[in-house]
């Protein structure tokens, strides 16, 4: 009986490792195919003016980050008809240190339908007819709610403030969303489209002004140049290897709403319909009081996944679900993140995500190189077929050798893939493209990581993956945020520990004495206060 059980376990391990490797191969193929050469020019900007969809671009901003000006300026540099763009820069307060930069952006790009919206001026939340509790505590939703309500046209493109997008991003995303093809052809449109995120860890902030603002802000984590100050390299490694492979593969198969909230585009009319219980049968009638559109999600964290999940699950004839715009990358510059900050960021993300996609979260350790290779080595040295046919001995030394070989091959593939992605061959480049977005293959771009520099980051990321997952998923429900602790609830809301509730609505978090929501600071604060 024990032999049967052992071989049964080995069969499961073999099946699992084959599935994981197959999924990775799909992702690697898609990444190589679409990120190895310049992308074709988008179709939508060349259409007749009355056929070009109007886009409302919403950029939530909180605090000063590395490359903030260039990231936000990329919105104004789109190769898309200017008359078909409305740009809303959203900030919580005029005291936010990013506020002067946002005003400067508006001045530097005249002729755009662009507006700086301050949350403190939102009539829904403040003023004689407004109330702070008209929305839940989610800081990002509160930040962009007015921009969403006042959007012009139907297409909404939400881009985080720390994301740089190529000049052709708007056109290519519209092509995917609406089904535009070269030569006037049309294909099935999508309900939701998005981009592959990449982090570029740069050595120092880009200007003295930004350096001073960052260093003056103790709430933005900065690490030293030593090993404990390389959290940005770990984040860079995660997004360019494991995340990129599975993100591309799952979106190729289209079996699940696999998105990350960096750069997402959808239709306002669809979200309004999907958040109305009277029009969407998958919603309970009791959810009618939660508002419409993005306001529907204001009492919850992990709003990006929830929006994508609802759009994915809500039926609409004639539309595909989610479409990843392959080759288009959303680049996030980063500088000075400590290893502790990286770990805290991953723990926060996992503890929120585990209640939204429980099954995917539980099986996540099995897709990592060290554990997946162990499954493969165990299967190959346990099942008799491999011994009888291939001569693989059923010994521990053989198992160790196979595991080592598998991990080594995995590492070399990741080295090749990450190097390919950071060449940025698919990125549109012109005189305004910042160095962090030019890639390693162009003059003026970032320097390619030497293998001696790349390997410690890869090993660190892989070795930390299982401990971080164990700590986040199995050993607690609390997250640390600005020196305070919060408990993540099963409905994806959070509540401050040992604090007196001050919000009147369900699924909301405890706020400060001024009734400001989780992650939002008092007007004098300079912190981002965001989970991303």
């Amino acid at each position: 009986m024990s032999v049967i059980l052992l071989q049964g376990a080995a069969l499961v391990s073999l099946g699992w490792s084959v599935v994981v490797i197959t999924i990775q191969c799909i992702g690697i193929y898609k990444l190589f195919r679409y990120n190895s050469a310049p992308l074709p020019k988008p179709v939508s900007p060349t259409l007749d003016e009355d056929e070009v969809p109007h886009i409302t671009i919403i950029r939530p901003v909180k605090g000063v980050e590395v490359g903030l000006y260039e990231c936000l300026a990329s919105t104004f540099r789109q190769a898309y008809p200017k008359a078909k763009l409305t740009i809303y820069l959203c900030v919580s307060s005029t005291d936010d240190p990013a506020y002067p930069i946002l005003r400067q952006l508006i001045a530097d790009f005249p002729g755009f339908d662009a507006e700086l919206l301050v949350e403190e001026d939102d009539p829904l939340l403040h003023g004689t007819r407004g109330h702070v509790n008209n929305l839940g505590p989610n800081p990002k939703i509160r930040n962009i709610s007015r921009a969403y309500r006042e959007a012009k046209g139907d297409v909404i493109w939400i881009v985080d403030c720390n994301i740089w997008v190529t000049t052709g991003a708007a056109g290519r995303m519209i092509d995917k969303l609406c089904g535009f093809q070269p030569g006037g052809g049309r294909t099935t449109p999508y309900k939701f489209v998005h981009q592959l995120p990449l982090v570029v860890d740069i050595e120092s902030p880009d200007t003295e002004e930004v350096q001073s603002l960052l260093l003056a802000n103790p709430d933005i984590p900065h690490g030293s140049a030593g090993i404990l100050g390389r959290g940005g390299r770990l984040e860079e490694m995660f997004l360019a290897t494991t995340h990129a492979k599975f993100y591309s593969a799952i979106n190729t198969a289209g079996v699940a709403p696999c998105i990350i909230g960096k750069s997402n585009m959808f239709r306002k009319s669809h979200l309004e319909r999907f958040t109305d219980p009277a029009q969407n049968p998958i919603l309970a009638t009791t959810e009618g009081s939660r508002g419409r559109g993005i306001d529907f999600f204001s009492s919850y964290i992990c709003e990006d996944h929830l929006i994508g999940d609802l759009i994915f699950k809500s039926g609409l004839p004639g539309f595909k679900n989610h479409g990843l715009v392959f080759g288009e990358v959303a680049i996030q510059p980063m500088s000075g993140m400590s290893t502790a900050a990286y770990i805290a960021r991953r723990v926060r993300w996992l503890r929120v995500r585990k209640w939204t996609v429980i099954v995917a979260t539980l099986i996540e350790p099995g897709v990592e190189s060290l554990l997946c290779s162990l499954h493969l080595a165990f299967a190959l040295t346990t099942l008799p077929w491999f011994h009888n046919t291939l001569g693989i001995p059923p010994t521990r030394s053989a198992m160790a050798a196979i595991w080592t070989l598998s991990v080594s091959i995995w590492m070399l593939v990741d080295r090749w893939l990450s190097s390919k992605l950071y060449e940025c061959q698919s990125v549109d480049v012109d005189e305004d493209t910042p160095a962090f977005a030019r890639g390693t293959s162009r003059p003026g771009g970032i320097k390619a990581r030497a293998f001696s520099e790349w390997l410690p980051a890869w090993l660190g990321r892989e070795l930390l993956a299982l401990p971080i997952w164990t700590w986040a998923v199995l050993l607690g429900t609390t997250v640390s945020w600005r020196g305070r602790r919060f408990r993540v609830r099963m409905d994806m809301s959070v509540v401050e520990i040992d604090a007196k509730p001050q919000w009147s609505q369900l699924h909301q978090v405890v706020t400060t004495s001024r009734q400001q929501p989780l992650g939002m600071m008092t007007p004098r604060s300079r912190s981002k206060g965001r989970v991303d």
Side-chain angles (χ1 to χ4, degrees):
M1 180 62 70
S2 60
V3 174
I4 295 175
L5 290 176
L6 188 65
Q7 292 185 4
L11 279 173
V12 172
S13 290
L14 179 64
W16 175 254
S17 56
V18 168
V19 168
V20 171
I21 292 171
T22 300
I23 292 174
Q24 287 199 86
C25 288
I26 294 172
I28 292 168
Y29 166 74
K30 298 291 283 191
L31 291 169
F32 176 75
R33 177 181 176 185
Y34 289 100
N35 291 274
S36 298
L39 298 174
K41 295 295 183 182
V43 175
S44 50
T46 65
L47 300 174
D48 293 338
E49 184 175 350
D50 58 347
E51 296 180 355
V52 180
H54 192 101
I55 307 174
T56 297
I57 306 176
I58 301 175
R59 304 214 62 166
V61 181
K62 188 71 174 177
V64 176
E65 301 190 49
V66 174
L68 178 65
Y69 183 94
E70 288 299 332
C71 288
L72 295 175
S74 68
T75 311
F76 295 86
R77 292 171 175 151
Q78 292 298 300
Y80 199 83
K82 186 185 296 187
K84 294 293 184 175
L85 291 176
T86 295
I87 302 172
Y88 289 133
L89 306 177
C90 306
V91 68
S92 62
S93 166
T94 56
D95 289 316
D96 191 294
Y99 184 76
I101 297 176
L102 305 185
R103 293 192 61 179
Q104 186 64 48
L105 273 163
I106 299 291
D108 288 349
F109 293 94
F112 279 86
D113 179 15
E115 189 173 354
L116 175 52
L117 299 181
V118 181
E119 182 185 320
E120 289 181 340
D121 299 330
D122 188 346
L124 180 68
L125 300 173
H126 306 281
T128 56
R129 296 186 179 182
H131 195 279
V132 68
N133 285 352
N134 282 342
L135 291 176
N138 184 298
K140 186 173 181 179
I141 298 297
R142 293 175 69 87
N143 191 314
I144 66 177
S145 175
R146 182 181 178 187
Y148 174 87
R149 298 194 308 269
E150 298 180 3
K152 300 175 183 178
D154 195 29
V155 177
I156 304 290
W157 185 15
I158 301 177
V159 192
D160 284 356
C161 67
N162 54 11
I163 293 299
W164 181 90
V165 292
T166 71
T167 56
R172 294 190 184 99
M173 293 184 78
I174 282 289
D175 287 355
K176 189 91 170 184
L177 186 75
C178 299
F180 295 127
Q181 291 185 315
R186 296 291 292 269
T187 187
T188 306
Y190 284 82
K191 292 184 289 184
F192 183 100
V193 297
H194 52 119
Q195 295 176 266
L196 177 75
L198 282 181
V199 160
V200 176
D201 185 48
I202 56 181
E203 293 298 331
S204 60
D206 44 7
T207 66
E208 292 184 4
E209 179 183 8
V210 171
Q211 284 190 31
S212 62
L213 285 168
L214 290 171
L215 293 174
N217 187 353
D219 294 311
I220 296 179
H222 288 274
S224 66
I227 187 171
L228 296 181
R230 292 299 187 181
R233 295 294 170 88
L234 299 176
E235 184 80 4
E236 181 182 281
M237 188 64 62
F238 170 67
L239 288 176
T241 55
T242 297
H243 184 271
K245 289 181 289 187
F246 285 95
Y247 199 74
S248 298
I250 295 172
N251 278 287
T252 297
V255 295
C258 183
I259 64 165
I260 189 168
K262 299 293 185 182
S263 174
N264 300 330
M265 181 182 285
F266 52 88
R267 296 173 183 81
K268 182 178 181 179
S269 60
H270 286 181
L271 195 60
E272 295 287 316
R273 173 177 175 175
F274 297 151
T275 53
D276 183 0
Q279 301 183 68
N280 192 350
I282 72 172
L283 296 180
T285 56
T286 54
E287 294 183 288
S289 61
R290 286 172 56 181
R292 298 290 179 269
I294 63 170
D295 292 353
F296 184 84
F297 307 93
S298 66
S299 294
Y300 298 84
I301 54 178
C302 200
E303 75 291 327
D304 300 310
H305 175 81
L306 292 176
I307 291 171
D309 187 66
L310 181 62
I311 291 176
F312 187 92
K313 293 177 179 177
S314 301
L316 192 64
F319 289 87
K320 295 181 181 179
N321 282 320
H322 290 184
L324 177 61
V325 185
F326 287 100
E328 272 292 347
V329 290
I331 299 178
Q332 177 185 351
M334 183 177 289
S335 179
M337 172 181 273
S338 68
T339 300
Y342 165 78
I343 293 173
R345 178 186 179 110
R346 293 287 297 147
V347 168
R348 286 198 302 267
W349 191 76
L350 281 167
R351 286 186 175 173
V352 172
R353 177 177 173 265
K354 70 179 179 182
W355 298 122
T356 62
V357 281
I358 297 176
V359 175
T361 302
L362 291 178
I363 65 174
E364 183 171 306
V367 307
E368 302 289 357
S369 63
L370 305 184
L371 190 53
C372 185
S373 295
L374 186 61
H375 278 289
L376 180 62
F378 169 66
L380 295 184
T381 55
T382 302
L383 295 172
W385 186 89
F386 292 99
H387 173 64
N388 298 333
T389 306
L390 303 179
I392 298 176
T395 62
R396 291 182 179 179
S397 58
M399 184 175 174
I402 293 173
W403 180 85
T404 302
L405 178 62
S406 175
V407 171
S408 299
I409 293 173
W410 197 304
M411 176 197 66
L412 292 174
V413 170
D414 278 354
R415 167 64 173 174
W416 170 79
L417 177 63
S418 61
S419 298
K420 176 61 66 175
L421 287 177
Y422 282 111
E423 288 178 358
C424 294
Q425 289 292 324
S426 64
V427 172
D428 300 322
V429 172
D430 57 26
E431 65 276 6
D432 295 316
T433 305
F436 62 76
R438 289 180 174 271
T440 61
S441 61
R442 297 186 179 96
I446 59 176
K447 183 180 178 181
R449 308 290 184 214
F451 185 73
S452 59
E453 182 181 5
W454 181 92
L455 181 59
W458 187 87
L459 289 173
R461 214 295 301 180
E462 299 299 312
L463 291 171
L464 283 172
L466 184 57
I468 289 174
W469 181 90
T470 303
W471 178 256
V473 177
L474 303 180
L475 300 179
T477 59
T478 63
V479 296
S480 296
W481 203 319
R482 297 187 72 245
R484 296 151 62 190
R485 292 191 307 146
F486 298 86
R487 185 178 71 254
V488 182
R489 299 191 285 194
M490 292 182 67
D491 63 358
M492 291 157 288
S493 64
V494 292
V495 60
E496 186 177 357
I497 296 173
D498 301 325
K500 182 179 178 181
Q502 298 184 32
W503 288 84
S504 60
Q505 301 177 358
L506 292 176
H507 312 304
Q508 296 180 336
V509 298
V510 176
T511 59
T512 64
S513 60
R514 295 185 58 182
Q515 286 193 324
Q516 297 204 10
L518 171 65
M520 295 187 62
M521 313 305 162
T522 61
R524 296 294 175 187
S525 171
R526 297 186 172 205
S527 175
K528 281 177 54 183
R530 240 186 16 229
V531 174
D532 47 350

